[in-house]
Amino acid sequence: MAAAVQGDDDIIDDDIGTNIKYPPSVEKAIKELFPSNDPLDAPDFNAIEYINALFPTEQSLANIDDVVQRIRMKIGRLDDEIRTVIRSQTNVGSDGRQALEEAQNAIQELFSKILDIKSKADKSEQMVKEITRDIKQLDHAKRHLTSSITTLNHLHMLVGGVHSLVNLTHRRRYGEIANLLQGVLNVKEHFDKYMEIAQIKQLADRITGIQNELAAQIQSDFEENLSADARKKPPDLNQLAEACKIVDILNPMVKKRLMNWFVKQQLADYSDIFCDSHDNTWLNNIDRRYTWLKRILMNYEGEYGQLFPSHWHVQERITYEFCLVTKKGLSKVMSERSSELDVKLLLFAIQRTTTFESQVAKRFSGSGFEEEITPKNPFKENNEEDTKLSKESIFIGLISCCFEPYLYFYIESQDKSLGELLDRFVQDFKSQGIPKAVENSDSGIVLPSCADLFVFYKKCMVQCSQLSTGQPLLQLAGLFKKYLKEYATKLLRNNLPKSGSGVSSILKDAEIRFSVDDQAIVCCVLSSADYCLETTVQLESKLKEKIDKNLSEKIDFNSEQDIFHNVISSCIQLLVQDLDNACDPALNAMVKMHWQNVEVVGDQSNYVSSICSHLSQVVPKIRDNLASARKYFTQFCIKFANSFIPKFINHIYKCKPISTVGAEQLLLDTHSLKTTLLELPCIGAITSRKASSSYTKIISKGMSKAEMILKVVMSPQDPAVGFVESYINLLNDYDVSNFQKVLEMKGMKRNEQHSIIDLFKATIPSNASSNDQNSNTTAATATVTTTTTTTTSTKSSGRRRPHQEPSRIKKLEKLIKKQF
């Protein structure tokens, strides 16, 4: 028994050590056929983990006999199932072979039946053919007989119709001919496949001869009845109207020849009346040409309105030919008498011509004549642009295009008018100045001449686009560009107040300051340039819309826009320079103060009050004058901050020597200026607006540097190592010259500076340039550590100053909070 148990254990051990793996496809098939949640069926089954799961603790080993018994029972059941399956498969081979033999026998039997059926079907088909052989012959005979009878009837009709046409043609019975001719031509189509037969070919040639005879006869009848020279008696319009029906049946060339003759007949007197040597041909009498055509069309409606079919478009043909002849005549007379042309006469003729073309296009719209004159290409795909172009009448521009080569008179006239207009603008500015600002208005001061100039531009553009959208409009765009540049120079740039430059800027007493009126002029020029800039962009867009597509790329106003941008930049620079120069006296007063003698920190100094007062007086006026160009006021504030803050820092360096109390007072003044500068965009405004984030960053960054400099000055210079560390932590500046300026502010002499400068140079790292870029961030964080650094330095020196730095900084912070 023990040996059996030992043998079972060996089998279990062998099973545990054995790891059978199937391909993934086999595992997937097994899982689909035999789904199971049993861990033993898992492909990644681990016997050790399974045993650990059965016996997680030592106490669970007490049930090991029960677990082993259950597993053995399960193994026994599996063995029985395997044995049953194996036994069931022993007979599968023999059963399969038997089934295959039965299937092969069934297929052979089916194949033999199919062959039997096919042979019977062939016999049945042969039998049916023998039965229906005579019937098929009779059916073919009937079909041929019917076709022959039909052909004979058509032939009889064709022969009879030809004889009738010959008789009717000689008697000019056009009404009967029109109905008969169409039938004969329809019958003739049935004999197109029999043209190899001589008799049929002879009949077809005879029909063609009748058609040619009818065409010549109808043409002769029209000439005899409607020609002014050959007319002897009133024409038979009914007979001619019936003849028109025949013309519709005949070759289209017959209709074309007849129409060409009739149109020339109607316009025969036009060339005689408006001949080259006659006074009627000149442009001042151009209305007579169009009046003559109106009279001809009225006569046509009275005399021949019922003669020609409406789909012949006879009036449209007369008008179209009239336009071509008129265009040729006007081009010839203008080339011969070009010296007599002037702008007024040219515009008069163009206006009358375009009006005539519009009336004609409106009268003949939707008649279908345009499709007949300009047939569509069936192989060309339609698109939106072709559809838009096809909507425009062919009469538009048919005559007026002859004036386009002479539109340079119009361009020269507009050039002269614009020059006079610009001179008038200059004189008005000198005599009247800029317009007065409207109180409580959101619109700034803009020169009225700006709007007048672009209104004139719009009028010229609309007028020229009605005359031509080709090269003349492109020349007009070049004229616009020319006078935009002159306007920017003569009206804007030349009227800016002169700033201190050249020799005068070298002398401090000779600096020129802007008055209130000068500031208003600069703001007015800036707003006007901004208006011109925006309107120029719109003008360029409109010109590109109106000009021909192939010329739109040549419309470019970028250089003119750049000129107005430069004017705006100059105006902002002048305002910044004036405001910056006005602060110089106060900054000079700051430098002249005896900062080493300051004993008590009080309110802000007088120079700070002077700067704040000046800013509160000037900036609100500039803001109001730039109400229509608010973005440029923001630029003005940013540029002023970028100009004033470095100058203020340079003046701080000049305040030397300075005591600790003096540095505290100067730090208080710096904070006051910082507060004022942060409020600069909305200073004196009724409704306060938050300053832009970019402006706030510039002020905080620049003024923080000034505060850091003063805090370094307040730091004790002993020990030197602590002072250098304090300087680097606060400013993160490795420039030796700036460090030397701070030492001079502390009142150190030259001979005392050498050792500490050498110590500073020794602390400069190799990547100092990269540290300089991050100096502002380090300075901001170093502000928090100022008190700690100062206290450590004082302790290391072994001496206590009467007024320690931490207490001074705390007192200064309290004083600043109290003030603001």
Side-chain angles (χ1 to χ4, degrees):
M1 184 66 182
V5 174
Q6 183 65 32
D8 293 339
D9 293 339
D10 293 339
I11 293 173
I12 294 173
D13 292 340
D14 293 339
D15 293 339
I16 293 175
T18 303
N19 188 10
I20 301 174
K21 291 186 178 180
Y22 297 103
S25 58
V26 176
E27 294 285 355
K28 182 178 180 182
I30 293 174
K31 187 174 181 181
E32 291 178 356
L33 293 175
F34 306 104
S36 174
N37 296 326
D38 193 343
L40 295 173
D41 296 332
D44 56 347
F45 172 74
N46 191 327
I48 297 175
E49 292 181 358
Y50 181 72
I51 293 173
N52 291 334
L54 293 176
F55 306 104
T57 60
E58 294 182 359
Q59 291 77 9
S60 60
L61 293 175
N63 299 325
I64 188 171
D65 295 334
D66 297 337
V67 173
V68 170
Q69 185 64 29
R70 287 197 301 270
I71 291 176
R72 287 177 176 173
M73 292 176 65
K74 188 172 184 179
I75 291 172
R77 287 196 303 272
L78 291 175
D79 290 338
D80 294 338
E81 292 178 2
I82 293 172
R83 191 179 300 108
T84 303
V85 171
I86 292 174
R87 289 175 180 174
S88 63
Q89 294 297 321
T90 55
N91 299 327
V92 170
S94 58
D95 294 342
R97 284 191 296 272
Q98 183 179 358
L100 179 61
E101 292 176 357
E102 293 176 356
Q104 290 176 348
N105 295 331
I107 291 173
Q108 290 178 356
E109 183 179 357
L110 178 63
F111 183 71
S112 60
K113 290 181 179 180
I114 291 174
L115 291 177
D116 185 35
I117 293 172
K118 183 179 180 182
S119 61
K120 292 180 180 179
D122 292 339
K123 293 178 181 179
S124 299
E125 184 180 2
Q126 187 65 28
M127 187 180 298
V128 170
K129 286 182 179 180
E130 292 177 357
I131 295 173
T132 60
R133 181 181 303 166
D134 297 336
I135 298 174
K136 185 180 293 185
Q137 291 178 353
L138 292 174
D139 186 54
H140 286 305
K142 178 182 177 182
R143 188 182 303 112
H144 292 320
L145 181 62
T146 303
S147 176
S148 301
I149 294 173
T150 304
T151 303
L152 287 175
N153 289 333
H154 287 163
L155 181 61
H156 178 72
M157 293 170 59
L158 185 63
V159 173
V162 169
H163 288 293
S164 300
L165 283 175
V166 172
N167 295 330
L168 293 175
T169 301
H170 291 315
R171 291 185 294 168
R172 285 181 167 78
R173 304 289 294 273
Y174 294 136
E176 299 178 14
I177 292 175
N179 297 326
L180 181 59
L181 180 60
Q182 186 63 54
V184 169
L185 294 177
N186 292 335
V187 173
K188 179 190 170 184
E189 293 178 357
H190 294 282
F191 293 93
D192 289 341
K193 56 186 176 180
Y194 303 116
M195 286 299 170
E196 296 179 356
I197 302 175
Q199 292 79 1
I200 301 299
K201 182 70 168 59
Q202 184 179 1
L203 276 175
D205 294 340
R206 194 172 181 184
I207 293 172
T208 304
I210 293 172
Q211 289 178 310
N212 295 334
E213 184 181 355
L214 282 171
Q217 184 173 298
I218 291 172
Q219 182 75 25
S220 176
D221 289 347
F222 269 92
E223 293 178 358
E224 291 178 0
N225 286 275
L226 301 183
S227 177
D229 298 334
R231 183 182 299 178
K232 298 179 180 179
K233 59 180 181 180
D236 188 357
L237 298 180
N238 292 329
Q239 185 183 29
L240 296 179
E242 293 175 349
C244 291
K245 297 179 181 179
I246 299 176
V247 173
D248 278 334
I249 301 173
L250 298 177
N251 193 296
M253 292 302 299
V254 178
K255 173 184 172 182
K256 185 177 181 180
R257 286 195 297 267
L258 180 60
M259 282 292 93
N260 290 340
W261 172 85
F262 182 77
V263 171
K264 291 181 179 178
Q265 181 71 21
Q266 295 297 311
L267 298 178
D269 296 337
Y270 179 69
S271 299
D272 297 335
I273 296 174
F274 298 95
C275 62
D276 298 340
S277 60
H278 204 281
D279 293 337
N280 291 333
T281 59
W282 194 227
L283 299 183
N284 57 348
N285 294 321
I286 198 170
D287 282 338
R288 296 182 181 180
R289 295 175 179 266
Y290 307 136
T291 303
W292 183 90
L293 178 65
K294 293 178 182 178
R295 185 172 66 253
I296 289 298
L297 294 179
M298 291 178 64
N299 293 337
Y300 168 83
E301 290 181 358
E303 296 182 11
Y304 309 114
Q306 303 298 324
L307 174 59
F308 297 102
S310 59
H311 63 272
W312 282 25
H313 309 297
V314 179
Q315 293 188 17
E316 290 90 327
R317 295 177 185 275
I318 295 173
T319 305
Y320 184 77
E321 186 65 24
F322 167 83
C323 292
L324 296 179
V325 174
T326 303
K327 172 186 174 182
K328 183 177 179 181
L330 289 175
S331 300
K332 183 177 180 181
V333 73
M334 283 191 294
S335 63
E336 294 175 353
R337 304 172 61 177
S338 59
S339 59
E340 302 178 27
L341 280 173
D342 57 39
V343 177
K344 292 184 179 180
L345 181 61
L346 185 64
L347 291 180
F348 168 78
I350 293 174
Q351 182 182 3
R352 292 291 190 270
T353 302
T354 53
T355 302
F356 167 75
E357 291 173 346
S358 300
Q359 293 175 352
V360 171
K362 184 178 181 181
R363 176 177 179 179
F364 298 133
S365 63
S367 62
F369 172 70
E370 298 176 3
E371 289 78 4
E372 187 175 345
I373 293 295
T374 56
K376 295 182 179 180
N377 186 353
F379 300 101
K380 185 177 181 180
E381 296 182 358
N382 295 328
N383 52 37
E384 294 183 0
E385 294 184 0
D386 294 339
T387 304
K388 292 180 181 178
L389 293 175
S390 63
K391 290 182 180 179
E392 186 175 357
S393 174
I394 60 172
F395 294 102
I396 299 297
L398 190 57
I399 302 177
S400 58
C401 63
C402 68
F403 299 107
E404 186 167 331
Y406 304 94
L407 283 178
Y408 64 88
F409 286 103
Y410 173 78
I411 302 299
E412 292 175 354
S413 173
Q414 298 305 321
D415 190 1
K416 183 179 178 181
S417 300
L418 281 170
E420 295 174 353
L421 183 66
L422 205 64
D423 293 338
R424 180 168 63 84
F425 289 161
V426 174
Q427 295 299 326
D428 291 345
F429 188 89
K430 291 180 179 179
S431 59
Q432 301 175 8
I434 63 174
K436 295 182 179 180
V438 181
E439 296 183 358
N440 300 327
S441 176
D442 293 337
S443 60
I445 306 175
V446 179
L447 291 176
S449 58
C450 294
D452 296 340
L453 177 66
F454 284 100
V455 168
F456 188 83
Y457 274 11
K458 181 181 179 181
K459 179 181 176 182
C460 294
M461 180 180 63
V462 172
Q463 189 177 39
C464 185
S465 62
Q466 293 175 350
L467 305 179
S468 172
T469 57
Q471 198 67 29
L473 187 58
L474 182 62
Q475 296 174 0
L476 184 66
L479 199 65
F480 289 167
K481 297 174 63 176
K482 171 186 173 182
Y483 284 98
L484 282 175
K485 293 178 181 178
E486 292 191 10
Y487 185 87
T489 302
K490 295 181 179 180
L491 267 296
L492 300 180
R493 195 184 297 278
N494 290 350
N495 287 318
L496 288 174
K498 306 300 180 182
S499 60
S501 60
V503 179
S504 61
S505 62
I506 299 176
L507 304 175
K508 295 183 178 179
D509 297 337
E511 289 183 354
I512 300 176
R513 302 286 175 76
F514 290 162
S515 62
V516 177
D517 294 337
D518 291 338
Q519 293 174 355
I521 290 175
V522 175
C523 294
C524 178
V525 171
L526 192 153
S527 300
S528 302
D530 179 52
Y531 173 84
C532 292
L533 177 62
E534 294 179 356
T535 315
T536 301
V537 176
Q538 300 173 6
L539 175 65
E540 180 182 2
S541 176
K542 288 294 181 183
L543 284 171
K544 287 183 177 181
E545 290 178 5
K546 292 184 176 295
I547 202 168
D548 294 341
K549 296 296 182 182
N550 57 337
L551 297 176
S552 60
E553 295 181 357
K554 296 183 179 180
I555 302 293
D556 185 10
F557 283 77
N558 287 332
S559 58
E560 288 69 30
Q561 296 174 24
D562 292 339
I563 291 175
F564 290 117
H565 275 299
N566 293 335
V567 172
I568 292 172
S569 299
S570 300
C571 293
I572 295 175
Q573 188 61 36
L574 286 175
L575 293 173
V576 170
Q577 182 180 351
D578 176 64
L579 187 60
D580 196 27
N581 291 338
C583 297
D584 286 345
L587 295 178
N588 293 333
M590 178 186 76
V591 175
K592 293 178 182 180
M593 291 180 62
H594 300 286
W595 293 101
Q596 74 276 16
N597 298 329
V598 177
E599 298 179 353
V600 180
V601 178
D603 294 336
Q604 65 184 22
S605 303
N606 293 331
Y607 74 90
V608 176
S609 301
S610 176
I611 293 174
C612 297
S613 176
H614 183 73
L615 293 178
S616 62
Q617 292 176 3
V618 175
V619 174
K621 295 178 181 179
I622 295 176
R623 182 180 59 244
D624 295 339
N625 291 332
L626 297 180
S628 61
R630 181 67 62 182
K631 57 183 178 181
Y632 296 115
F633 173 73
T634 303
Q635 292 184 17
F636 158 75
C637 293
I638 292 175
K639 288 189 176 182
F640 172 72
N642 287 327
S643 175
F644 174 78
I645 293 176
K647 179 184 288 188
F648 176 70
I649 292 175
N650 289 334
H651 280 75
I652 287 179
Y653 282 130
K654 295 178 182 179
C655 297
K656 54 186 178 181
I658 181 171
S659 63
T660 303
V661 180
E664 292 177 358
Q665 179 64 46
L666 195 53
L667 182 61
L668 175 64
D669 296 340
T670 302
H671 188 81
S672 301
L673 278 176
K674 180 180 179 181
T675 304
T676 302
L677 290 176
L678 288 173
E679 298 175 353
L680 186 65
C682 58
I683 189 172
I686 299 176
T687 57
S688 61
R689 296 182 180 180
K690 186 179 180 180
S692 63
S693 58
S694 58
Y695 174 78
T696 304
K697 289 180 181 178
I698 291 173
I699 299 299
S700 301
K701 179 179 177 180
M703 298 304 289
S704 295
K705 182 178 180 180
E707 293 174 348
M708 294 301 108
I709 292 172
L710 294 173
K711 289 183 178 182
V712 171
V713 174
M714 294 167 57
S715 301
Q717 65 190 37
D718 293 328
V721 177
F723 178 76
V724 172
E725 291 179 357
S726 178
Y727 177 86
I728 293 174
N729 291 334
L730 291 174
L731 292 176
N732 197 21
D733 184 5
Y734 296 97
D735 190 351
V736 179
S737 60
N738 291 337
F739 182 72
Q740 189 173 1
K741 292 177 183 179
V742 174
L743 297 180
E744 292 175 356
M745 290 177 65
K746 293 182 69 66
M748 294 182 65
K749 297 179 181 180
R750 289 283 183 178
N751 55 1
E752 299 175 352
Q753 297 178 7
H754 295 302
S755 60
I756 195 170
I757 290 176
D758 293 338
L759 180 61
F760 175 75
K761 290 180 179 179
T763 58
I764 297 177
S766 59
N767 58 346
S769 58
S770 61
N771 290 338
D772 289 340
Q773 298 177 0
N774 302 323
S775 59
N776 297 314
T777 306
T778 307
T781 56
T783 306
V784 183
T785 62
T786 303
T787 305
T788 307
T789 305
T790 307
T791 305
T792 305
S793 302
T794 304
K795 289 183 179 180
S796 62
S797 64
R799 292 175 295 178
R800 305 289 293 182
R801 298 178 61 87
H803 301 282
Q804 294 181 357
E805 298 304 324
S807 60
R808 288 183 178 277
I809 294 176
K810 289 182 180 179
K811 290 180 180 179
L812 182 61
E813 291 176 352
K814 291 181 180 180
L815 184 60
I816 290 173
K817 291 179 180 179
K818 183 178 181 181
Q819 293 293 332
F820 299 97

